[in-house]
Amino acid sequence: MRLSEQSLYVLAEQIRTQKISPVELVEDVFQQIEEKEQQHNAYIDIQKDRAIHLAKEAEREISEGKYRGPLHGIPIGIKDNIYFANETTTMGSKIHQHFIPTEDATVVKKLREAGAVFLGKLNMHEYAWGATNDNPFYDACRNPYDTTKISGGSSGGSGVAIATNMAIGALGTDTGGSIRIPAAFCGIFGLKPTHGLVSKANCFPLAWSLDHVGPMTKTAIDSALMLDVLAGYDAKDPTSIQCVQPVSYAGEVDISLENLRIGINESYFFNQVDDEVEKRVREAIQLFEDSGATIVEVDVPALAHVEYAEMITITSEASAIHHDNLIEREEDFGEDVRFLLKLGELPSAVDYLRAQQIRQQLDRQFQNMFQQVDVLLTPTIPFVAPSIGSHTAIINGEEVPLLDHIIRFTGPFNLTGLPVASVPVGFAHNLPVGMQIVGPAFDDKRVLDVARLYELLV
């Protein structure tokens, strides 16, 4: 097995013990980039010389006994709406194609301090406002299992880079599902942390009350290692929350299968789902039950109104951010983003406030639900990756509007800010399927622990 095919967790231990050097690893990753990037288009910008320099620096420090931790010497890609000081950050757009931030995003600063090796900036849907990563300015990011299919977005480059071994870890952002959708479509692990746990300072916003930053990796323990570095209060982010009790997310699993209570909501999360996708998710749930977990059917009535609340909130907030450019530079937006930004100008203050009332109801009902269960399991997306350029998806042979359905299962957890991971659970129609593991607020370790238990079961 090539070095770049191994998990972050395994590679970190080999680097720590100097069985391999960061330079060897980075060179292997760049060999993968040379072999696969043209086909998959995961990157907007690749910085090989800088990466080799950082890898040599990491190798020197480790040889001198100055090992910084599990991310030291690990090659990581950064989504291109996350600021990297003195380096072009395009937001996947034409309008910001020459934008150069003067400061790192807090998450980049933390990775830099941890000794990560930065590979470059990853492809994304324009302004993160879309779930396909079909970018009119930087070309579509193509699925690792079928290049005629979408990667999912908006963090499509991150998903593809991990799946094709063109990065060992990656950062994504998630406002309606933008970490979890490409994770599901690309067959990798993606974590949307609790809102406020990971700083968004110096990350270009899509919708400020819904935005999250999180890791995308091969496995749950890999994401846990990244979260150990990324998590923490940041005064620069007004939504950042000071957690009283520090947590080691990559520490020992502290929940057992025999005591695990799994919530299932049939009426919303298993409604209008492709049969093959549903089969893979139910098989994963059955695996938990066969191993001693208890399955509990739960009811969350406010989910009946969640799609309205999600669309009103995300479109209104996104359009407020881009309002001036929409007036002055309308033609410089891609067609799909321009449509969504115009749509976001339409809701009234009453619509927005009603949406926030639904959020409050949903939040209370999920809090009550987590008195009954430890985690909730759902499909990540009700279908497999559709073709690039398509505006529809296929559910049991019928075409459905792509935009209406692609964030149907992911969006509720942006509204509530709950921690949720997408874990791969096999294939349907020869394409990957994801399952969401959802936990209570600020119990991201529970989500990661359950994901680690699942990976052991399979």
Side-chain angles (χ1 to χ4, degrees), residues 340-354:
L340 289 170
L341 292 176
K342 286 184 173 182
L343 187 68
E345 300 275 335
L346 301 178
S348 67
V350 172
D351 291 323
Y352 186 82
L353 292 172
R354 283 179 172 171

Side-chain angles (χ1 to χ4, degrees), residues 1 34 37 55 74 79 85 99 112 124 127 135 160 164 177 182 220 237 260 274 282 318-319 332 335 399 410 445:
M1 179 184 287
E34 289 167 11
E37 169 59 13
I74 296 294
K79 185 177 178 180
F99 172 69
R112 197 187 293 278
M124 58 180 285
Y127 286 120
N135 190 303
V160 170
T164 57
D237 176 3
L260 183 63
D274 183 84
R282 290 198 185 274
S319 294
D332 288 337
E335 183 180 349
E399 288 191 351
T410 55
K445 187 171 190 305

